[in-house]
Structure formats: structure tokens, C-alpha cells
Amino acid sequence: MDSGLLENTTAVITGGAQGLGLSTATYLAQHGARIAILDLNGDNASTQAANLPGSGHIGLRCDVTSAKDRTEAIEKVLDSLGTIDVLVNNAGIQYHSEGHNMPEEKWLKVVDVNLNSVMFMSRDVSHTMIRNRKGSIVNIGSIASFQAMPGRAVYSATKTAILGLSRNLAVDWGKYNIRVNTVCPGYHDTPLFREYVDNGKLDPEVIKSRIPMGRLGLAEDIGKAVLFFASELSAYVTGQAIMVDGGYTTYGAPGAIV
Ligand SMILES: NC(=O)c1ccc[n+]([C@@H]2O[C@H](COP(=O)([O-])OP(=O)(O)OC[C@H]3O[C@@H](n4cnc5c(N)ncnc54)[C@H](O)[C@@H]3O)[C@@H](O)[C@H]2O)c1
């Protein structure tokens, strides 16, 4: 399994203590990376980092919306792992409400976690990458970066903004050999997904029937796309977004019959 593609590479993954962040951390570690998981849940972050394949990984508590937390966490990562080559901005939350009922504090909270933190984690880590004249930042978008869904205005707005942010940072930092790309997952069976299935806001069978490949995403599907952007396989690729959704967004006419 170890391709060696991420040998001598240090990767920071926000929100990496569970779900897609954890499966991505696992996949990158399998390909040689040393991982720092930064997560609101510090205990989970440490436990999961200790269980990753290979050695030398760390897990730290960090609320990515807090400037103090980000600064302290990045210092600890640099102390422990020496540098940062890859940043995966994965931490994300949802809040569902139709526009006319949207509470302002919920809107602001989702924007803070899903968008502002991506900007400021990237800014804070860029100083190391600029010094190194090397780095890859991978932001996690969504099918909601491209499609509207009922009650998902704030989620979709932040995930769409990620595309513009990624493109613009790619332009700013190309001269420093820092690449910025976006991976847009389709539906994956994570704790976030389960929460919405359990409260009746997602129906897995309807979703599967809407996916040309007929299945939800597997744990390693996102890791594979992140590995591409994190490694030299994408050495000349920046400002791009890739859908990892089994064809969900490309399928425009579910009712059409051959
Ligand atoms: N699961 C899916 O089907 C799906 C689909 C499209 C996009 N995504 C995106 O993938 C990413 C991961 O989703 P998931 O399903 O694994 O979510 P999840 O809820 O299972 O895990 C999210 C992790 O982020 C952490 N986190 C939340 N707020 C944080 C903060 N302020 N600071 C630090 N850590 C924080 C949580 O503690 C948790 O460990 C998100 O950006 C999400 O929008 C998921």
C-alpha cells in the first residue's frame, strides 16, 4: 500500500479526529506522511493519531476558529514535526434552515468554521510554506459547492466560497510553489452523515438511487484524491477542484429512462 509518495512529508489535517478527516489522515499515513491531527476534540485527536499507521504522528486540541488555538497548535506541530508540507482544511459543520428562518448566530458560526477558518489556517501555515518555497493546501468542499439543496443555504454558501478562496490563494502563492486545490466529496457515511440520516434529513436509499455508481463514498475515496493533490503527482496542478461523488453532480436527469 505504501507508495512512498509522502515520504518525508508532514501533513496537518483539521477536523481529523473522525469521519473523512480521519480516513484521510489514515490514507496519507499509509503513504508515508507524518500527520498532525488538529481537532476540537483533543482526546479523540490524540487517540486517533496514536493509532495511525507508522509513527511520530500527533493529535492536538485546536478550535480552528480561534486565532490563539491556531497559533499554539502550529507552534506545537513545528516543534514536534519540524515543518508543515501539506495542510488539509477539512473541519466543517452544517446547519439546516430555510433562508427565511435562518438565525444570524448560526449563519455566522457556520461561516466561521467552514470558511473563515480555512482562510486563516491557510494564512497561518503559509508563512512556513513560503519559507520552504513548497507546500500543498487541500480544502474540502462538497457537492454543495456546485448544487443547491433544501435548507442548506449557509452550508452551500461556505462550500461554494471555498472554490473562489482556493483559486485566489492559488494565484497569490503560485510564485512560492504553494499549490491550493479543493476536493469536493459526495455522500460518505460519516458521523456527520449518520446524524442527518438519524434525524430524518437524509435518506440513504434515495441518495444511492441518485448516484450513477450506486453507492456511497468509501472511507479511502477522499484520501485518494487528497493524496493526488498532496503529492508530486499533481506537481503542476493548482486552483482546481475535483468531485469525488460517484457521478452525483454530473447526473442531471434522474427521471429520464433509456
Ligand atoms: N460526510 C459527507 O458525506 C460529506 C460530504 C461532503 C462534504 N463533507 C465535508 O467533509 C468534511 C468532514 O466531514 P465529516 O462528515 O467527516 O464530518 P464529521 O462531523 O464526521 O467530522 C468533523 C470533525 O471536525 C471537527 N470540528 C468541528 N468543528 C471544529 C472546529 N471549530 N475546530 C476543529 N475541529 C472541528 C469535529 O470535532 C470532527 O472531528 C467537512 O468539511 C464536510 O463539510 C462531508
Side-chain angles (χ1 to χ4, degrees):
M1 167 67 97
D2 183 358
S3 60
L5 279 167
L6 297 182
E7 224 48 66
N8 301 318
T9 300
T10 296
V12 169
I13 303 181
T14 70
Q18 67 175 39
L20 296 185
L22 178 58
S23 55
T24 297
T26 306
Y27 200 75
L28 299 191
Q30 281 166 352
H31 287 270
R34 274 202 302 164
I35 305 288
I37 291 176
L38 272 46
D39 201 286
L40 207 48
N41 187 327
D43 290 342
N44 269 0
S46 315
T47 308
Q48 298 297 1
N51 289 334
L52 292 173
S55 60
H57 313 296
I58 59 170
L60 300 171
R61 190 201 169 275
C62 173
D63 178 348
V64 289
T65 66
S66 153
K68 181 170 172 289
D69 280 17
R70 286 194 308 269
T71 305
E72 287 176 3
I74 290 168
E75 271 172 18
K76 283 183 195 157
V77 173
L78 292 175
D79 279 353
S80 304
L81 305 185
T83 193
I84 301 173
D85 303 300
V86 174
L87 167 65
V88 184
N89 282 306
N90 164 80
I93 57 172
Q94 293 215 23
Y95 182 78
H96 292 180
S97 167
E98 289 182 294
H100 55 287
N101 291 321
M102 174 63 70
E104 191 168 336
E105 76 280 6
K106 298 288 190 191
W107 176 277
L108 294 173
K109 176 70 186 172
V110 178
V111 171
D112 213 16
V113 177
N114 289 11
L115 178 60
N116 297 342
S117 82
V118 175
M119 173 61 218
F120 295 118
M121 268 304 294
S122 301
R123 179 198 63 183
D124 295 351
V125 167
S126 74
H127 302 142
T128 298
M129 293 179 168
I130 288 170
R131 265 198 307 280
N132 293 343
R133 293 293 191 271
K134 180 173 78 129
S136 171
I137 297 177
V138 186
N139 296 325
I140 303 298
S142 168
I143 49 179
S145 300
F146 292 89
Q147 291 190 331
M149 299 178 200
R152 269 56 161 191
V154 67
Y155 184 72
S156 185
T158 58
K159 292 297 185 180
T160 304
I162 292 289
L163 301 174
L165 176 62
S166 302
R167 285 195 290 264
N168 282 273
L169 294 180
V171 167
D172 284 350
W173 294 340
K175 59 181 175 286
Y176 302 121
N177 191 30
I178 301 171
R179 298 178 296 102
V180 187
N181 292 288
T182 309
V183 170
C184 295
Y187 287 104
H188 286 69
D189 196 350
T190 65
L192 180 69
F193 178 84
R194 270 295 131 202
E195 185 188 326
Y196 285 98
V197 171
D198 292 346
N199 68 20
K201 295 194 176 200
L202 286 175
D203 182 334
E205 292 314 310
V206 175
I207 288 167
K208 276 192 257 175
S209 73
R210 170 75 177 74
I211 298 172
M213 292 185 72
R215 65 166 177 87
L216 297 174
L218 302 174
E220 68 269 22
D221 287 330
I222 297 306
K224 287 175 180 168
V226 175
L227 173 66
F228 172 70
F229 282 136
S231 72
E232 62 169 32
L233 289 178
S234 61
Y236 198 48
V237 182
T238 194
Q240 300 304 305
I242 188 167
M243 310 303 301
V244 183
D245 67 352
Y248 184 94
T249 42
T250 209
Y251 186 19
I257 294 157
V258 180

